[in-house]
Amino acid sequence: MLPSERTAHGRARDPALASRMSHLESMLRRLVASPLHRLDTEEAPAGPGVFLLSDSDQITSYYVESCQTLRVGVGNLARGTGSTRGSAGKSTRSTRPSFDSGLKAKLAEHLGISEAKVSQYLKDHCVVRWIQLDDDAPHLAHFAIGVLRTPLNLD
């Protein structure tokens, strides 16, 4: 074996890596299996976590976000007033584009509809799911983006 092959082969057997991957996979399965809610829900918890925006038939996942307060993150998404997510996936009051200016345009382009129709599309055809997490929320969000390939998270 080449040295690079030995290194790569050795990492695959790393118990810590296997444990972290298994933990992230388990959390992603919990997120995907969590109850569906319409965007106008008031049921989102006040704690930190990760939410997933998808179409109501659960075929396409559009967006994943970790946030300090799920109620605020889901509420902002529903109102179209914008996310409070920072560039590292943490909830902040940054200057990152709001849903209106960034995600709304991406969703319109992805769906092939005008931006004016996005809010109605979200209301009529989309659902949100979430799980509450503390420290692992940003890690799960990044993992979910990589696995689910959510188009609104991709640059």
Side-chain angles (χ1 to χ4, degrees):
M1 266 193 232
L2 296 171
S4 61
E5 290 175 322
R6 275 184 268 148
T7 302
H9 187 68
R11 285 187 191 139
R13 293 184 186 177
D14 180 3
L17 178 60
S19 175
R20 287 191 304 269
M21 294 289 289
S22 176
H23 181 65
L24 286 168
E25 180 183 359
S26 172
M27 288 189 301
L28 179 58
R29 288 181 188 277
R30 279 182 42 216
L31 174 61
V32 171
S34 63
L36 304 175
H37 301 274
R38 290 283 174 198
L39 285 175
D40 59 1
T41 186
E42 304 264 333
E43 298 175 26
V50 176
F51 68 83
L52 170 64
L53 174 69
S54 60
D55 60 7
S56 56
D57 60 8
Q58 301 177 53
I59 293 174
T60 305
S61 296
Y62 294 118
Y63 182 68
V64 175
E65 181 178 319
S66 68
C67 51
Q68 291 297 318
T69 307
L70 286 163
R71 187 172 297 152
V72 171
V74 171
N76 287 344
L77 187 65
R79 287 185 299 275
T81 58
S83 163
T84 57
R85 186 174 152 257
S87 59
K90 297 177 185 172
S91 179
T92 62
R93 300 261 180 227
S94 72
T95 58
R96 183 174 174 92
S98 69
F99 185 79
D100 273 342
S101 63
L103 294 177
K104 195 173 197 177
K106 283 184 178 182
L107 185 57
E109 182 180 339
H110 179 74
L111 295 171
I113 62 175
S114 71
E115 281 190 50
K117 294 182 180 182
V118 170
S119 294
Q120 192 63 41
Y121 181 86
L122 287 167
K123 183 179 177 185
D124 294 344
H125 301 285
C126 291
V127 293
V128 66
R129 317 169 238 207
W130 60 75
I131 60 171
Q132 283 190 270
L133 293 171
D134 290 321
D135 298 333
D136 286 334
H139 300 295
L140 175 59
H142 289 292
F143 184 75
I145 291 164
V147 172
L148 299 175
R149 295 182 169 258
T150 50
L152 304 184
N153 291 103
L154 304 176
D155 293 321

